[in-house]
Every structure is written in structure tokens, then in C-alpha cells.
Amino acid sequence: MKQFNTTDIPVTPRVKKLIADLFAKLPEIEADRAVLLTESYKQTEDLPIIKRRALAFHHILTNIPITIRDMELIVGSATKAPRGCQVFPEYSYEWLESEFDTVETREADPFYISEQTKATLKKVYPYWKGKTTSELATAYMAPEAKLAIEHNIFTPGNYFYNGIGHVTVDYGKIIKIGWRGLMEEAAAELSSINIYDGGYARKKEFLEAVIICCDAAVIYTKRYAKLAKETADKCPDAARRAELIQISKNCERAPEYGAATFYEACQNFWFIQMLLQIESSGHSISPGRFDQYMYPYYKQDIESGILTREFAQEIVDCIWVKLNDLNKVRDAASAEGFAGYSLFQNLCAGGQTKEGLDATNDMSFICIQASMHTRLPAPSFSVRVWNGTPNIFMIKCAELTRTGIGLPAYYNDEVIIPSLMSRGITLEDARDYNIIGCVEPQAGHKTDGWHDAAFFNMCRPLELVFSNGVDKGVQVGLRTGDVESFRTFDQFLDAYKKQMSYCIQLLVNADNSIDVAHADRCPLPFQSSMVEDCIHRGKSMQEGGAIYNFTGPQGFGIANVTDSLYAIKTLVYDRKEVTIGEYKDALEHNFGKGYTEKATRKMVTEAIDAIAAQGRRVSPQMVEQMCRAYLENSMCTAEQKQKYDKLLQMIDSVPKYGNDLEEIDLFARESSYIYTRELEKYKNPRGGMYQAGLYPVSANVPLGEQTGATPDGRLANTPVADGVGPFSGKDRFGPTAAANSVSMLDHGIASNGTLYNQKFHPSALAGQSGLQAFADYIRAYFDRKGMHMQFNVVSRETLLDAQAHPENYKSLVVRVAGYSALFTTLSKSLQDDIINRTEQTFNM
Amino acid sequence: MEHDILSTTGRIFDIQRYSIHDGPGIRTIVFLKGCALRCRWCCNPESQHFEVENMFFGGKNETMGYDVTVGEVLHSVQKDMFFYRRSGGGLTLSGGEAMLQPDFAIDLLKACHAEGINTCIETTAIAKWDVIDRFLENLDFVYMDIKHMNNEKHREFTGQPNTKIIEHAIKIAASGARLTMRTPVIPGFNDTVEEIRDIARFVHLLPGSPRLHLLPYHRLGEDKYKGLNRDYFYAGVPPMDMKRMQPLLRAAQLEGVECQIGG
């Protein structure tokens, strides 16, 4: 049996101070990168795009302001202000320009932007007109696909507006060989190309671009060495001066030539992680198996006596804090979908080695401790669990879960490894997987996974069945026939399948268009240089340079679709208690129930605009009347409402997903295949396949707002179900029953990840026996071939109080669908969703 | 010919899964209806009468008590097989008093054993000894209540004397069963150091010196009394404070018994 050092280490005052400083102010938007990028682009218009990207990166890193924050041990900041963000006009910029005056006051993820910055950005933006990836993607897209996006059938907004991210580069290798080593590798490849090769020109340009990027990184890290030295010279405090001199040394040699010590390795790691996020605005750039590539340095330094476990912990804590120093401003709508300022930098511990042995080591425990110390949203901390995972590791993880920060997320090797292999990944690479972003498994530093490629709302095609493909008066879906003409459930189901596969085809067209636009306009030489097999193939990831290529759009609403189809089958076609026409009528009238405040505001505003457009005036009384009509749904008569109530009662009596009922759970399995199996048929432009995910991040709330009432009794504009879990409040038999239901889905086929959120009250994890039962609970769900599990452990009272007094809960972290977020930074509706999620109850 | 144990019927009022405080591991508790005691603090008043009754709870009328076969219960219990296997959990019979329905309860225990599910009971042990004896051979764990050492006070607060209970505790302990003793700590009944010390002394002297769990009084059952149209003796009494539990725990430990707060 392996022995681990699991003794707790106390958190240092420095780490507490760094956290307090980081969260002291609203994050700020800075313009330096945009200005430097534009300067460079203007001078390189004649060059191939890959060169232009490299030269722009070089120009940015040579000139962007750098800063060392007070008391830092790990340095390197992308912005002057803590938690600030740069902007990336090469992807898109119009949304930010139009949100200049609202971005500071919006509900989800507000950012401060100075008048000076606004003025600077206004000067550079005109250059980008017509030159962005989003504009090119729009030009590539089929009109039908654009229409489907406008009608919220799916949204590829993430990659449409931003870089791709969603990658784990070869941290271990770069930490070890440095930028110089990488440069030499590219140079060697360059010297080996035959000038008569068909791919000579592109390969040469790419490899030269890589060399330029590595040079840029060396310049940048040496700037930090110099700044640290200068700061040390001016520092009156002897202890801090010594630290700064050490920092200067760390930055001087190791980034270029590779790390010799644990401390240097940590600094190298940080430069890689940060520089990737200056090159592009993609999120989910995930450190991956940190405990695996850092452990050799740790072990060597501990054994030689130059490192204490306590200092190692403090450095790792500092990295955890730094991960929260990176930030990204998104458009208002996306900010709601990804609420919580999250960059989804997913970091893994535990699991298996490439050889299939247990990989847990002392560094795995230091990672757990760092998350306990910092209690921050980043990193998204994931642990891999397999049959050989030591119990003590599970118990320590359970202790972290018990703190209520929503970490770690638990992943099941026994499902994920075969699932990845079914996609053509080798056994060794599959065993070496890590998690990207929210929940997406990937063979690290060999994959361009395009995870998170779009949110696909599985409820919307169901709406299209009822409307014969029409949405808001426009033919968006297929004409599958008048729903009232369907005589059997199979006819109904067939229509749903047809709408689904048509919408999926549109999704594929949209994603592929965006994919090509990125290859054409924003290939990333720096990132690509650290992903196999780009250097050897001589092309960027965006052009298909990685070994494994996927596109993974995520479907969500599986519980609503299951409960809806099952209710229709039962009530309309089996029991014949209601006709499909009556059902349709009830859905159109939102079951006679009032609309949400937000939906009312939107509908009334639209109505007023329409009236105003006709040149008529709208009196305040009229507005008030209209509002009341929507809020109370007074468009329906009492008689109608009574009829709809009866239908709702009938629906309520039909069994629901999440209660360990085999018949309906198998139905859920079949329903999810309608999405997962269909996607597998399609290919992306990088030569890879589509693979489905089943998770909504937090988009189930904003995208639910765009979804009408559904046949499971869910009202219009309210959130749809979270992840692969049961619909909120529908699971009534506790955590084992719900887990059994969820495990009945075929998780393995959703190789882009599934997400199962559970909420536990802290009392369930009380004492050693509570922790053990909790760990066993996870293992049993995994025995049943569940893929992922994560937990909110907070009391309802705590959450209500946090909602009422956010000032007292500034650092309260909750798990929101795939990542941790600061509760008080979430919008009210998302806060409500978390509060209302079924709280599992336990014996006292 | 042996009878078909799966068709034996009994009356239960609830099945509760993911129970982690009533025996080892993750367990499913089957609550049998009907009890011989009338404890004034009882948090499951719907368990007391054998008759099916109506309870207004959570805004609606609910029927408390339904008749089931062993096979039906087994089907529910088996659903969490994966969780038992990982955690060493299984079935726990509770009530009410499961020993008041011996044929049904014992067949259920046998059926679980046949499926490889371990068994536990929470009992007052007030049944006849030959009934208890039949249970013991089908039980892996026994959780038995000991509420008070004073016979009069026991009778006043539970409606039954403690003489048989004390006698059975000794016999169960002597039988070699894996026994845990439990004491609900109830304000005004047994919440003094002296009373707990008496219980702890007795438990410590039992053969095998079983563990003692002190279960602090809570009032989660209060709404159920209203729903059943019954008076709640402990109306308005706040739950036991953990601070008040500490001296009781220490007093018990001083008697040499292995003791903990909570199950």
C-alpha cells in the first residue's frame, strides 16, 4: 500500500492577503492588448495569417505593461488591475462597443471600464470592421442555420464571439525544456522539411511563427526578471527583498531553459497558463493533471531537503490565487450563460497513470489542501476516481466537499476511459485523460476538442413539433405535419426525431462555419506549439494539427424532454385522457398561468414598440394593464384556467424521471440517444467527428427564458432541467434513487461529458461515518456507470441569507453546473434556481 | 413444505433510502406500523397505531400505513444494492416496533439474507423472548433502545415498564449479537448526568460491553401530531443543545462505555 502525507497544513497570512487584494474591487477592462494587436496587424497586412498572429503576439508581449502585485510569490499578470481583462477585437468587438455603458451595471459579471479605455477602444475598433472571425463565420453560415440561431434553437455564441480555448497543452514538457527547447524543436523540424514538399510553404510559415512566439515568451519572462530585480532594489523590507530576488532568478533562466526546482516549475507553469490567455480569448484553458507533472519536482526537492512541504503548499496556494487573477468579459447574454466570472481552468488530481496504476501522490493532497485554503472559483478542481483510488483520497475529497465550496467534481475513470477509446483514442492516452472546462474529458495535449461547441436546447425541437416547425410566425424547423393529425405516439415521436435531426444538421453547419473562420483568421501558433502533433505536422490546431480532433456541442433539457414525451404518451395516446389538440392549446396558453416578470417586461416592451411604430401613443395605464394581463395571464378565462389546472394535475400524477422507476428511466435513455447518436454521424473541418455532451453549464436558466411551456408541466420562460439530473423538485426519493435514475442514461456515449449536480445538506457529511458514506455513495454511482458528480453542500437558510445580505457572503462559493462560482455574483434567477433545487433530506 | 416467504404480508408506513445513521453504511429503513410504547417525545407518532390512519402533512392528506408483501418490500430494498455493496450497508427494520409483526419481519430479513443484503433492527425489545430469539438468528446488527433505568419514570413517559426491556438487553447481549444500545436524550425525562450515568453503567456491564449512542431530542415530529389531531406533550420544547449534550457524553464515558452523540 502507498502511504501519503495527508497532515493538514495551515493557510498563511500571505495567501489570505493575496485573496483579499484580488477581490477588493470590481474587475476592470483594459485596452493595452487591443491597441498593440491593432498596431501590429496594420504593419503586417501583406504576410500570411499565421505569421501575422505570431508577430502580433511578439509585439504585445514586448510592450504590454507588466506588474508584480504586493507579496506575490508567483508573478505574471495579464492586466495592471487585479482580476482585470484584456479584450480581443480579432474575434468580435461590436457587442462590447454597444455595451460600453451597461457593462458596469449589468446583473451578471459586471466590469468597470474607464472613459479613457472606452475612448482608446473606439479608436482601434474601426480597423476591425469586416476582419473578425465572427463576421467571417456569419458569412460562411447557411441561412437556415442563422435563422435557427436567431430563434434560439441552439447557440454557438461562445466560439462565435471568442477564441476556442478548451485545451490542455503539454505543461510538463514545456516546464522541463523551456521556450528555448521548444524553439529548437521547431527549428529542427524546419531544417528537415524538403523544399520540394507540397506543404513546404505552410509548414515553413507555421514553424517560423512558432519560433517567433517562443522568442516573445522569453522576452516577456525576462521583463519580469528585470522588474522583480528593480522592485527588490527599491524594497525597504529585507524579507520581501529576498523574495523578489528569488522571483527575479526564477524568471531569468527557467522559463527559457526549463525548471530545475519545484519553485521554478511552478513559475514556469504560471507563465504558460497566463500567456495562453493573452494569445486568445478562449476560456477553459485547463491545467490538466497538475499533480502528475509537478510531483517529480516536488519529490526531488523534498528528498534533497531544499523544499519544505509547507512552502510547497504556499506556492501552490499562490498559483490557485493567480488562476483567479485572469478574467474575461463576455457579452451580456453569454455572461448569463457562464455566470460567475469563470474561466473554467480545470485542474485534475488522482486517477491512473498511462500504465493503469494508481496515480495518486502527495501533490494530489496538496491540491486538495490548496482548494480548502483559497476557497475560490478557480481552479475548477476535478478528481479522477477509479476502482483503485485510495480511500484516504476519497475521504480528503469528501472533506473538501463538506466545506461547501462545490469542489471537487468527481469523475469516473471506469466510464470515461472506454468512452474515449470508443472515439479512437489509444488506451495509454485515454488513461492519461484530464478534464477540460466544465466536465469534458480529453486526451490532454493531444486534442483539439472544441468542447462546449454550442448549447443545444432539446426542448425547442419539441415545441416545433407542436407548431409544425413554425416559431414566432417563421418556418424555422421542418414541416412535420399538423400535430393533431398524429394518431399514435410513434407518429409524434417520429416527428420529434425529425425536428431534432434537422436542427442538429443546422448546428453542425453553424459550428463548422465558425471552425473554418477560426482557421482562416485566428490560427494560434503559440498554443499549437505545445499540442502534439502540430510542430511535426507543421500546422496549427485550428487547421487540424492536433492528433485528436472533435467537436462537442452539449444538449440539455433531457429531464424535461423525457417527462414531456412520457406524459404525452401516457395521457394522450395510452390513457386517452386528453387530446393532443387540448395539450397544444394548454401549452400555447402557458397552462393558464401568469408569465414571469422578466418575460412580461419583454413582451410588453415588444407590444409597446409595435404600437409606437404605428405612430400611436401608449398611456401608462395601458402599460400597467398589459403588464397585469401577462403577469396574471388574464387572457385566459376562468373556465380555461380550470381546464388547464386539471391537465397539470394529470401531468403531475404521471411518473417522472429521477425516482428510480425503470420504465421511465429507460425512456430517458432512449430520449438522450435522439441527440447523442444523431451527432455521431457528422464530421468537422479538422477531420474529426462530432461527439455529444449532456450538460447546460448554467445556460439552462437564460435559455429556459427563451423556451415556451413544455408538456411536462414546466411553465414558459422558466429554467429547464440542470445537467442530466431530474427536473427541479421532481425527484422525491432521495439521493440514491435520483442517482440510480441518472445512471440509467448511457453516459459512455456522451463522450463530451455529462454533468450531475446534487445538493447535500452538511449534516449528511458529519463525522467520519458521514464522510465515508458520502465517498461510498459516489463509488456506488460510479459502479453503476455514472460519469460525473458534483455537490453543493450548503443549507437553504445560508443561501437565502446570502441573497438578502450579499455583502456578508462575498466569498461564498457554490457549484453551478460544472464549475464553482461566487454565489453573490450570480443573477437573482440563477440564485433562485440553486435555492429551489431539491434539497436532499436526511435523518437526524 | 416451506412457505413462500416473498408472499408474507405486513403493514408499513414508510421506506427511507440513504439512511446513514441507523446501522453501518448506507441503508434502507423499512418502518413497520404499530408500537407497544407511547413515548411522549416520539417523532414518528404515525408509527404508533397499527390501524391505517389519515395524516394531514405538507399541505395534503396522506394515508399512513399500507399493506405490502415481503416481495414488494424486497424489490424496493434491492434498488440500492450498489450502495450497500460499497458501504457495507443494508436493510434496517424500524417502526413502530418491528417485532410486533414477527412473521412478516422475519421473512423480510430472510429474503434480504438470501439476496446478500445484511440486516439490522431498531427495537424496543419489549416483545416476548422467544420472538426476539427468532429475530436474532436473522439479524447482523441490533440497535436497541434503553430509555431510563427507573421503572416508574419509564412507565410514566413511555407507557410501559422497563423490566422486560432490561432483562432482554442482558439476554441479547449474552447471545453474542452485534449490539448497539441507544438512548434518546429527552428534556425533563433523562437529561441529567445522574440518569445518563445510570444507563451507561448498565450498558457497560452488559456482556460484550456494547457501544452507547446518545441521540439528542429534536422536534421534527411536531407537525405530524397536528396532522394526526393529537396533542404533543413536548410542544414548544426546543431541541437539545449540543452544549448540554457534552457533560452527558463525558458522564457516560467515565463509566467506561464507548459512547458517541448521534447514530
Side-chain angles (χ1 to χ4, degrees):
Chain A
M1 275 289 282
K2 278 199 277 185
Q3 292 287 316
F4 304 101
N5 191 344
T6 64
T7 326
D8 283 336
I9 300 170
V11 63
T12 63
R14 177 202 312 273
V15 172
K16 286 186 183 165
K17 178 190 155 45
L18 291 174
I19 295 170
D21 289 355
L22 199 56
F23 288 89
K25 283 201 291 189
L26 198 64
E28 181 174 349
I29 296 171
E30 296 183 9
D32 300 295
R33 181 190 179 279
V35 170
L36 293 165
L37 176 84
T38 312
E39 280 174 10
S40 174
Y41 258 61
K42 281 180 178 167
Q43 289 163 10
T44 59
E45 286 182 345
D46 297 338
L47 299 176
I49 185 66
I50 194 83
K51 238 355 152 14
R52 298 184 72 192
R53 296 294 300 165
L55 289 168
F57 188 61
H58 199 278
H59 187 58
I60 292 167
L61 293 197
T62 311
N63 297 290
I64 196 166
I66 60 171
T67 178
I68 294 175
R69 308 201 196 288
D70 192 23
M71 294 308 283
E72 282 187 327
L73 291 179
I74 297 290
V75 300
S77 299
T79 51
K80 290 167 286 197
R83 267 197 326 149
C85 75
Q86 297 290 346
V87 292
F88 298 76
E90 66 267 48
Y91 294 104
S92 64
Y93 64 91
E94 283 146 322
W95 57 269
L96 182 57
E97 199 169 16
S98 70
E99 291 175 20
F100 269 165
D101 297 325
T102 51
V103 69
E104 193 180 340
T105 50
R106 69 188 192 188
E107 211 182 343
D109 296 2
F111 278 83
Y112 170 72
I113 178 165
S114 70
E115 290 306 318
Q116 170 67 39
T117 302
K118 285 182 199 173
T120 310
L121 288 176
K122 273 183 186 156
K123 263 187 247 159
V124 304
Y125 278 167
Y127 176 78
W128 293 100
K129 179 92 190 125
K131 296 190 177 70
T132 63
T133 53
S134 68
E135 285 161 297
L136 186 60
T138 311
Y140 284 148
M141 243 177 251
E144 305 92 296
K146 275 187 259 189
L147 190 66
I149 295 171
E150 278 166 35
H151 285 259
N152 304 307
I153 308 298
F154 55 85
T155 165
N158 193 8
Y159 298 165
F160 185 71
Y161 288 124
N162 304 291
I164 308 300
H166 290 84
V167 68
T168 294
V169 301
D170 203 341
Y171 295 91
K173 172 176 152 187
I174 314 304
I175 288 169
K176 195 169 164 189
I177 68 171
W179 309 119
R180 182 69 52 194
L182 199 57
M183 225 185 273
E184 281 163 10
E185 206 175 290
E189 192 65 44
L190 194 57
S191 67
S192 75
I193 333 173
N194 295 311
I195 51 169
Y196 49 79
D197 279 350
Y200 172 78
R202 282 197 185 283
K203 206 167 172 182
K204 172 177 160 290
E205 291 298 327
F206 173 75
L207 292 169
E208 284 173 2
V210 168
I211 292 168
I212 294 168
C213 290
C214 292
D215 185 51
V218 171
I219 290 171
Y220 184 80
T221 51
K222 282 196 190 297
R223 287 177 66 201
Y224 265 100
K226 188 158 167 269
L227 178 63
K229 177 74 174 49
E230 287 165 6
T231 316
D233 291 344
K234 281 180 271 172
C235 182
D237 178 64
R240 180 61 184 157
R241 193 158 58 236
E243 284 173 5
L244 285 162
I245 289 166
Q246 180 61 52
I247 289 168
S248 177
K249 280 186 194 156
N250 289 347
C251 297
E252 182 58 41
R253 196 202 59 86
E256 185 173 358
Y257 294 102
T261 67
F262 179 72
Y263 193 2
E264 284 180 350
C266 286
Q267 180 62 59
N268 277 13
F269 162 80
W270 179 248
F271 278 131
I272 300 167
Q273 183 65 9
M274 191 212 54
L275 289 176
L276 283 168
Q277 296 178 72
I278 289 184
E279 189 190 25
S280 95
S281 67
H283 67 227
S284 298
I285 293 175
S286 299
R289 306 192 74 185
F290 187 85
D291 64 338
Q292 301 304 301
Y293 54 75
M294 296 310 277
Y295 181 66
Y297 297 96
Y298 172 82
K299 185 168 178 277
Q300 157 213 300
D301 287 6
I302 289 278
E303 281 172 4
S304 67
I306 62 163
L307 178 73
T308 63
R309 193 165 160 261
E310 288 69 24
F311 187 59
Q313 183 69 57
E314 189 173 30
I315 300 171
V316 173
D317 288 358
C318 287
I319 289 179
W320 260 230
V321 176
K322 284 305 275 182
L323 288 163
N324 293 276
D325 199 353
L326 293 166
N327 214 336
K328 165 174 178 170
V329 60
R330 300 178 173 88
D331 63 284
S334 301
E336 284 189 41
F338 291 108
Y341 294 111
S342 191
L343 280 175
F344 308 92
Q345 300 171 92
N346 203 309
L347 189 148
C348 265
Q352 297 168 60
T353 64
K354 281 182 174 185
E355 296 75 29
L357 299 171
D358 183 57
T360 316
N361 59 43
D362 283 343
M363 188 51 58
S364 320
F365 290 91
I366 284 179
C367 292
I368 298 174
Q369 183 88 71
S371 286
M372 284 217 195
H373 281 167
T374 54
R375 296 167 150 257
L376 293 171
S380 299
F381 182 49
S382 298
V383 294
R384 286 179 43 179
V385 180
W386 72 295
N387 287 338
T389 295
N391 191 53
I392 181 68
F393 183 68
M394 292 298 284
I395 294 294
K396 282 283 164 190
C397 290
E399 279 179 23
L400 178 58
T401 297
R402 187 164 63 183
T403 64
I405 63 165
L407 298 171
Y410 299 81
Y411 292 86
N412 186 5
D413 277 13
E414 310 294 349
V415 168
I416 291 173
I417 291 171
S419 173
L420 291 175
M421 290 177 69
S422 78
R423 303 306 190 200
I425 289 167
T426 66
L427 174 61
E428 279 205 341
D429 287 348
R431 281 177 179 154
D432 199 29
Y433 83 88
N434 61 270
I435 301 299
I436 299 288
C438 308
V439 296
E440 305 96 272
Q442 161 180 115
H445 62 81
K446 293 186 177 183
T447 304
D448 186 8
W450 255 68
H451 312 284
D452 240 5
F455 293 115
F456 186 94
N457 185 345
M458 295 164 71
C459 298
R460 296 285 285 145
L462 192 58
E463 287 188 79
L464 294 175
V465 173
F466 280 93
S467 64
N468 200 3
V470 175
D471 185 61
K472 297 191 178 80
V474 184
Q475 190 74 41
V476 177
L478 288 179
R479 286 189 182 82
T480 41
D482 181 357
V483 72
E484 293 187 50
S485 70
F486 300 153
R487 293 282 157 256
T488 64
F489 177 69
D490 283 345
Q491 280 178 316
F492 183 94
L493 186 63
D494 191 48
Y496 177 62
K497 286 180 179 169
K498 281 184 181 144
Q499 294 287 4
M500 279 290 285
S501 43
Y502 176 68
C503 292
I504 286 169
Q505 287 169 3
L506 300 182
L507 165 89
V508 168
N509 175 274
D511 268 345
N512 286 351
S513 302
I514 299 170
D515 209 326
V516 174
H518 279 276
D520 286 358
R521 289 203 166 154
C522 282
L524 304 174
F526 181 65
Q527 185 188 92
S528 302
S529 71
M530 295 178 266
V531 171
E532 265 180 75
D533 194 25
C534 291
I535 287 186
H536 182 64
R537 291 182 189 180
K539 57 181 171 181
S540 71
M541 288 172 71
Q542 291 66 36
E543 298 158 292
I547 293 178
Y548 303 114
N549 287 282
F550 296 103
T551 301
Q554 60 275 19
F556 66 96
I558 187 74
N560 301 97
V561 168
T562 300
D563 291 344
S564 291
L565 291 174
Y566 197 74
I568 288 168
K569 177 178 182 291
T570 309
L571 298 174
V572 178
Y573 296 103
D574 291 353
R575 294 196 209 145
K576 299 188 173 29
E577 287 176 6
V578 55
T579 68
I580 194 75
E582 287 169 323
Y583 225 126
K584 181 182 173 186
D585 176 59
L587 293 174
E588 280 168 359
H589 292 93
N590 195 28
F591 294 102
K593 302 294 179 197
Y595 292 88
T596 63
E597 272 178 45
K598 202 166 173 183
T600 299
R601 206 177 309 136
K602 194 163 164 251
M603 288 188 284
V604 171
T605 310
E606 279 169 10
I608 293 170
D609 288 349
I611 297 170
Q614 294 168 357
R616 285 159 50 204
R617 273 186 48 113
V618 189
S619 69
Q621 289 91 330
M622 266 175 77
V623 173
E624 208 191 307
Q625 267 179 7
M626 278 195 280
C627 287
R628 205 173 315 129
Y630 281 113
L631 286 172
E632 294 165 11
N633 200 351
S634 51
M635 292 82 82
C636 292
T637 63
E639 201 178 301
Q640 270 178 303
K641 285 191 177 188
Q642 216 178 0
K643 200 171 78 178
Y644 300 147
D645 275 345
K646 219 183 116 197
L647 177 58
L648 278 176
Q649 278 168 19
M650 282 192 252
I651 294 170
D652 198 42
S653 72
V654 176
K656 300 285 188 300
Y657 172 62
N659 295 301
D660 207 356
L661 302 164
E662 194 178 17
E663 187 188 355
I664 184 140
D665 294 342
L666 285 171
F667 209 81
R669 187 180 174 96
E670 290 303 317
S671 304
S672 63
Y673 280 144
I674 298 173
Y675 182 69
T676 55
R677 286 210 170 128
E678 181 67 22
L679 260 184
E680 292 178 334
K681 297 177 186 168
Y682 301 100
K683 294 263 182 301
N684 65 34
R686 287 165 284 117
M689 71 181 290
Y690 274 74
Q691 58 172 350
L694 292 172
Y695 60 93
V697 193
S698 57
N700 59 316
V701 177
L703 298 185
E705 281 169 11
Q706 299 156 350
T707 310
T710 40
D712 57 336
R714 182 197 136 275
L715 298 179
N717 319 113
T718 60
V720 301
D722 173 27
V724 288
F727 190 41
S728 187
K730 298 294 178 199
D731 55 323
R732 292 171 184 165
F733 297 101
T736 57
N740 281 350
S741 280
V742 174
S743 70
M744 289 290 276
L745 300 177
D746 188 350
H747 291 250
I749 194 174
S751 48
N752 197 46
T754 70
L755 183 154
Y756 181 31
N757 272 318
Q758 281 264 48
K759 189 155 92 177
F760 272 61
H761 194 275
S763 64
L765 281 83
Q768 204 57 34
S769 64
L771 291 172
Q772 188 64 58
F774 178 78
D776 295 339
Y777 170 73
I778 295 167
R779 295 236 199 210
Y781 174 68
F782 285 175
D783 286 344
R784 295 195 57 142
K785 304 295 176 204
M787 194 172 197
H788 157 277
M789 230 181 193
Q790 65 191 33
F791 302 86
N792 271 324
V793 180
V794 290
S795 68
R796 186 185 166 79
E797 288 70 21
T798 308
L799 293 179
L800 288 172
D801 194 51
Q803 207 171 32
H805 307 286
E807 67 279 7
N808 300 335
Y809 291 90
K810 266 183 154 175
S811 65
L812 172 63
V813 177
V814 292
R815 192 80 178 171
V816 192
Y819 64 99
S820 283
L822 296 165
F823 183 75
T824 53
T825 66
L826 301 172
S827 65
K828 167 118 186 356
S829 51
L830 197 58
Q831 289 180 347
D832 286 345
D833 185 48
I834 289 175
I835 293 168
N836 292 335
R837 205 175 279 161
T838 314
E839 194 162 322
Q840 310 294 359
T841 52
F842 298 92
N843 295 335
M844 297 285 283
Chain B
M1 203 180 89
E2 205 168 309
H3 71 286
D4 172 17
I5 60 170
L6 295 182
S7 57
T8 312
T9 60
R11 183 169 295 170
I12 67 175
F13 67 93
D14 200 9
I15 294 179
Q16 189 176 280
R17 297 160 65 176
Y18 200 87
S19 301
I20 56 171
H21 299 298
D22 305 277
I26 296 169
R27 311 193 71 80
T28 297
I29 308 187
V30 177
F31 291 91
L32 280 75
K33 200 153 156 57
C35 190
L37 270 56
R38 290 293 179 267
C39 303
R40 288 173 170 180
W41 60 86
C42 182
C43 65
N44 286 326
E46 75 277 29
S47 74
Q48 293 174 344
H49 302 298
F50 181 72
E51 293 73 34
V52 173
E53 56 199 319
N54 179 68
M55 183 166 81
F56 187 78
F57 194 72
K60 50 186 174 187
N61 281 306
E62 287 187 52
T63 304
M64 285 296 126
Y66 52 102
D67 294 338
V68 286
T69 65
V70 166
E72 286 162 348
V73 178
L74 181 66
H75 178 70
S76 296
V77 174
Q78 276 178 310
K79 281 173 178 269
D80 283 350
M81 199 66 203
F82 281 77
F83 299 92
Y84 309 148
R85 209 178 276 158
R86 274 294 181 182
S87 65
L91 166 84
T92 295
L93 291 181
S94 184
E97 173 51 66
M99 289 191 183
L100 296 182
Q101 299 185 55
D103 294 341
F104 168 70
I106 288 170
D107 282 352
L108 179 55
L109 296 175
K110 284 182 176 161
C112 283
H113 271 171
E115 294 297 328
I117 299 170
N118 76 48
T119 60
C120 177
I121 193 167
E122 291 179 305
T123 180
T124 62
I126 202 158
K128 288 191 178 123
W129 176 251
D130 60 333
V131 172
I132 297 176
D133 201 30
R134 276 170 60 208
F135 270 89
L136 288 181
E137 48 190 273
N138 295 292
L139 282 166
D140 301 297
F141 308 96
V142 178
Y143 280 55
M144 179 188 160
D145 269 17
I146 181 81
K147 291 167 179 123
H148 211 290
M149 297 309 292
N150 179 301
N151 196 20
E152 273 317 301
K153 209 160 180 188
H154 196 278
R155 193 199 299 270
E156 187 190 343
F157 277 75
T158 73
Q160 293 281 356
N162 66 7
T163 37
K164 271 208 309 188
I165 293 173
I166 286 175
E167 179 195 328
H168 291 162
I170 297 165
K171 283 173 132 174
I172 294 171
S175 77
R178 274 186 276 182
L179 175 65
T180 301
M181 301 298 288
R182 310 224 286 185
T183 302
V185 180
I186 310 297
F189 170 55
N190 62 3
D191 61 338
T192 66
V193 164
E194 293 73 29
E195 285 160 311
I196 295 298
R197 187 195 296 149
D198 285 351
I199 291 171
R201 189 171 295 158
F202 169 73
V203 171
H204 184 54
L205 289 174
L206 286 171
S209 192
R211 280 186 77 86
L212 175 63
H213 293 173
L214 299 178
L215 309 178
Y217 164 76
H218 64 77
R219 55 178 168 188
L220 299 179
E222 184 160 351
D223 288 345
K224 295 183 185 174
Y225 283 85
K226 279 183 212 131
L228 289 162
N229 270 324
R230 287 189 219 160
D231 289 332
Y232 183 42
F233 184 84
Y234 276 92
V237 178
M240 277 298 283
D241 199 317
M242 278 320 245
K243 274 192 217 129
R244 286 181 59 203
M245 292 299 294
Q246 290 305 330
L248 304 180
L249 175 69
R250 272 197 302 279
Q253 285 166 338
L254 279 176
E255 293 305 314
V257 71
E258 258 192 87
C259 185
Q260 68 185 61
I261 296 170

